Amino acid sequence: MKLLEYEGKDIFARYGIPLQKRSGIIRIGDSTDKLVLDGAGPWVVKAQVLAGGRGKAGGVKLGKTPSEVRELAGKMLGMKMVTHQTGGKALTVEEVLVDEACDIAREIYISVVLDRKGCCPAIIASAEGGMSIEELARSNPEKIIRLPVDVEAGLLDFQARQLAFDLAIPQKNFREFTAFARQLAQVFIKEDASLVEVNPLVLTGDGRLIALDSKIVTDDNALFRHKEQAAKPDHEASEIEREAKEIGINYIGLDGDIGCMVNGAGLAMATLDTVKMAGGDAANFLDVGGGANVEQITKAFQIILKDPKVKAILVNIFGGIMKCDNIARGVVEASGKVKINVPLVVRLEGTNVKEGRAILAKSGIKIEQAGSLWEAAQKAVKAAR
Ligand code: ADP
Ligand code: MG
């Protein structure tokens, strides 16, 4: 799950990571009068969208007076934002964060990522903050510092000190920085994150060290350990994805037009690949789970058909524990409950496959059957055209 900047900062606050004072958050539909701006200002008005690069896209604005801040916040809410990280898509700004502004003397990049090869978390840092780390990796890879983190011990003292030296942290902020770096690694480990990024970490004109931005991605598979987090909305999920989650179907919307219903995540991935190889594009990833019963199959059809892009449905189910004849009965019964108004291609394989195919053939429902995944994918692509 990707967290918004302010949600990440809420987590940072729990770990004692130094932050700039928050003035408030307003949501779309709220009156900007809700913003209580104490202090002397200036303030920074920040669009809360799940993408970096907001600064350059007009999503980070400085307001000198409370009235200016309210005006900026009002304009930002509802704005469509395209940044270099949104992949050409426009994100709607639904929430705006107002923090006190600070006087920046230096910007530093620091993050904790998962080093898959090293099988451990790793700190990535650079004294050149502010700019895109991807760009720096291309132009000046030698300026990027990498440090493995032991998941049990966390970032060790000597490592934190080494990092501070490498980043030329001033003497005055040295201890503050080493404590910060160790806490950042703890956020990654304890929160089951796959990414924790602070870009920029700043040294201010008045000698403070502050995490000015936050980006946290948590591992959905560990959500059961984080009840509070699990209860929060997944901002990245579409309406259909949220509904699917509620009824326990593993669904991810995609850009194509072939709706896919598969049992098992691995088979679902293979199905998407095969559709692609056959010249088509899947409209979704959908794993109905191990017990592909009538209820789940019905729900899955309903979810798939909520996407108006769907022009054909490809059902690819392997009868292992569930036998193919039961699955076929499930498909027949489900298609009686849901109005399937697009071509349906079904490929069954596994235990009792002959019986299963016979049930589908005799059902009178317009189903195109396929003997192999490749054949099924080709038929679905053709049907969608
Ligand atoms: P993004 O990464 O999406 O561009 P950031 O939060 O990193 O958004 O903000 C972009 C830039 O805006 C920062 O590099 C910093 O220069 C400036 N900025 C952000 N927050 C503040 C703040 N509280 N005070 C002063 N400048 C800020
Ligand atoms: Mg940033």
Side-chain angles (χ1 to χ4, degrees):
M1 204 150 112
K2 284 187 185 168
L3 309 191
L4 293 169
E5 175 188 357
Y6 78 85
E7 294 173 318
K9 284 182 169 174
D10 287 343
I11 292 177
F12 283 174
R14 284 200 270 116
Y15 286 78
I17 287 176
L19 300 165
Q20 195 62 341
K21 191 161 175 278
R22 179 181 297 175
S23 295
I25 294 162
I26 58 166
R27 297 185 169 80
I28 211 159
D30 284 353
S31 156
T32 53
D33 295 338
K34 218 189 112 185
L35 282 172
V36 183
L37 299 153
D38 42 34
W43 295 270
V44 174
V45 182
K46 308 180 84 174
Q48 300 299 287
V49 290
L50 293 173
R54 295 165 300 165
K56 286 181 190 120
V60 180
K61 293 263 161 104
L62 194 76
K64 293 201 180 70
T65 63
S67 62
E68 193 186 346
V69 167
R70 291 200 182 95
E71 195 188 320
L72 287 169
K75 276 190 192 150
M76 212 176 266
L77 282 169
M79 195 172 98
K80 300 263 182 220
M81 263 191 55
V82 182
T83 82
H84 72 270
Q85 288 189 2
T86 61
K89 277 189 195 154
L91 301 176
T92 307
V93 181
E94 288 177 356
E95 290 173 286
V96 163
L97 165 71
V98 181
D99 270 356
E100 275 183 4
C102 62
D103 161 31
I104 301 170
R106 244 189 86 188
E107 299 199 334
I108 294 160
Y109 175 93
I110 182 160
S111 66
V112 190
V113 300
L114 189 66
D115 177 352
R116 289 173 197 275
K117 259 193 205 154
C119 302
C120 65
I123 291 212
I124 306 284
S126 170
E128 323 253 319
M131 72 182 289
S132 129
I133 194 76
E134 294 87 351
E135 211 170 298
L136 190 66
R138 247 174 269 129
S139 62
N140 299 78
E142 76 287 350
K143 288 190 174 158
I144 295 179
I145 302 162
R146 290 186 182 80
L147 214 56
V149 178
D150 185 285
V151 269
E152 299 295 339
L155 187 70
L156 298 170
D157 260 333
F158 83 90
Q159 292 183 298
R161 283 196 297 274
Q162 187 60 52
L163 188 60
F165 280 122
D166 291 347
L167 292 170
I169 301 294
Q171 194 65 45
K172 184 181 174 294
N173 302 100
F174 207 87
R175 274 176 176 277
E176 208 181 347
F177 175 83
T178 52
F180 157 81
R182 298 192 62 182
Q183 283 306 88
L184 200 69
Q186 285 307 305
V187 172
F188 183 93
I189 297 165
K190 296 254 167 68
E191 299 297 321
D192 290 304
S194 55
L195 172 73
V196 176
E197 184 187 73
V198 178
N199 186 25
L201 170 71
V202 300
L203 288 163
T204 66
D206 54 358
R208 292 175 301 147
L209 180 88
I210 292 174
L212 219 53
D213 190 7
S214 96
K215 186 172 187 181
I216 298 183
V217 183
T218 60
D219 184 346
D220 285 352
N221 294 313
L223 273 179
F224 71 96
R225 278 206 283 251
H226 306 278
K227 297 276 180 310
E228 207 180 303
Q229 193 55 50
K232 287 188 177 152
D234 179 354
H235 304 288
E236 212 179 9
S238 67
E239 195 69 28
I240 309 176
E241 284 166 354
R242 276 180 216 155
E243 266 179 59
K245 200 173 178 181
E246 270 167 34
I247 56 177
I249 284 177
N250 205 347
Y251 172 97
I252 296 163
L254 300 169
D255 295 329
D257 56 10
I258 298 172
C260 295
M261 186 193 307
V262 189
N263 65 338
L267 189 59
M269 297 292 281
T271 306
L272 301 194
D273 284 347
T274 313
V275 166
K276 188 86 192 169
M277 277 160 65
D281 280 298
N284 64 273
F285 165 99
L286 188 153
D287 170 13
V288 280
N293 54 24
V294 179
E295 205 191 341
Q296 283 306 90
I297 294 173
T298 308
K299 282 177 186 169
F301 274 127
Q302 282 164 340
I303 290 285
I304 289 172
L305 288 164
K306 280 200 173 153
D307 177 356
K309 297 195 305 298
V310 170
K311 293 215 187 76
I313 296 178
L314 166 54
V315 176
N316 182 25
I317 295 186
F318 178 79
I321 298 169
M322 278 288 285
K323 296 186 179 73
C324 287
D325 49 339
N326 285 335
I327 295 165
R329 272 182 217 110
V331 171
V332 173
E333 217 178 308
S335 59
K337 291 182 180 174
V338 188
K339 196 176 171 303
I340 302 170
N341 46 8
V342 294
L344 181 60
V345 180
V346 179
R347 180 252 178 164
L348 292 179
E349 192 52 87
T351 316
N352 293 355
V353 66
K354 266 193 198 144
E355 292 86 334
R357 287 193 190 145
I359 289 168
L360 290 181
K362 271 187 255 153
S363 70
I365 308 166
K366 238 188 122 193
I367 294 176
E368 178 120 37
Q369 294 206 59
S372 70
L373 175 51
W374 179 235
E375 188 193 333
Q378 285 177 309
K379 281 185 169 169
V381 170
K382 203 171 150 218
R385 292 212 178 106

